[in-house]
Amino acid sequence: MGDPGSQYIGEYVDGRMEGEAEYLLPTETKYVGEMKDGMFHGQGTLYFPNGSRYDAIWEKGLAVKGTYTFSDGLQYDAEHWHYCDGYDRRFYTEICNGLKPAGISQVTNMDPPRKIPEGCYDCGDGFYDPVTRIIKDYRNRFLRNADDDEHEWIIKTCRKGWDEIVGHRPKL
């Protein structure tokens, strides 16, 4: 039962997944919670490979109310979201642990930041190679091919794995 490459640990009623269960998807995302008629139904949590989670109440496979928590413990709140807005640009770890002294900047929420492979960009969920246009996760597994819009966004906004002189260059 279920999708190819998935794994189900739980009970069946009339050949359908039902009751308390664990369901491991091929993407390594894991659902732990209640199932009914082969679908997520009731209390359940999705655990993502990056360490984040989504706790929700499910009805017939759809989340009707839930809370997303990032791997660092930051909980997303759609109504009162004050993280990294136009007024407060601190990373969540800086909010929790305080700012570093002047001159010692923190460049990512993870401190120290990930080492980016030469010629690649860190796009948040993995590393992007602009030559192949492939994004691989931080464990070097294929995630997706970037379309033109994502390529442009990554090139303009993401950290790169090499140093580059910007601004004024003295004449030699």
Side-chain angles (χ1 to χ4, degrees):
M1 291 289 183
D3 296 325
S6 62
Q7 181 182 0
Y8 175 74
I9 301 165
E11 296 182 24
Y12 291 89
V13 174
D14 296 326
R16 312 261 331 193
M17 298 177 277
E18 193 143 330
E20 286 294 318
E22 283 189 26
Y23 190 79
L24 183 63
L25 297 147
T27 60
E28 295 184 26
T29 296
K30 179 169 72 169
Y31 173 81
V32 177
E34 300 172 67
M35 303 278 287
K36 185 174 181 182
D37 198 26
M39 294 179 275
F40 302 165
H41 191 85
Q43 289 282 135
T45 301
L46 283 172
Y47 295 92
F48 299 98
N50 67 2
S52 62
R53 63 188 280 169
Y54 185 65
D55 301 286
I57 297 171
W58 303 83
E59 285 186 17
K60 297 182 181 176
L62 300 174
V64 291
K65 183 179 181 184
T67 304
Y68 183 83
T69 305
F70 294 88
S71 60
D72 62 6
L74 175 64
Q75 208 168 69
Y76 179 71
D77 181 348
E79 292 177 28
H80 307 292
W81 185 249
H82 299 294
Y83 170 67
C84 211
D85 60 16
Y87 303 103
D88 187 351
R89 300 288 305 266
R90 292 176 296 167
F91 293 108
Y92 182 62
T93 51
E94 291 175 317
I95 292 169
C96 294
N97 305 323
L99 293 171
K100 293 180 179 228
I104 305 174
S105 298
Q106 186 171 326
V107 295
T108 69
N109 191 49
M110 180 187 287
D111 191 41
R114 284 186 179 88
K115 172 103 174 80
I116 304 169
E118 183 78 23
C120 293
Y121 293 80
D122 184 345
C123 59
D125 59 350
F127 296 124
Y128 175 62
D129 183 333
V131 175
T132 63
R133 289 192 170 215
I134 292 174
I135 298 166
K136 292 184 177 180
D137 71 10
Y138 296 121
R139 291 187 277 177
N140 203 33
R141 295 178 307 182
F142 176 85
L143 281 179
R144 65 186 174 280
N145 292 306
D147 63 16
D148 290 343
D149 289 338
E150 188 173 26
H151 171 83
E152 291 301 320
W153 181 84
I154 291 171
I155 300 301
K156 285 180 191 168
T157 60
C158 295
R159 283 189 332 115
K160 48 186 150 231
W162 65 95
D163 289 329
E164 198 172 278
I165 297 172
V166 294
H168 176 74
R169 295 180 193 213
K171 290 184 182 179
L172 298 175

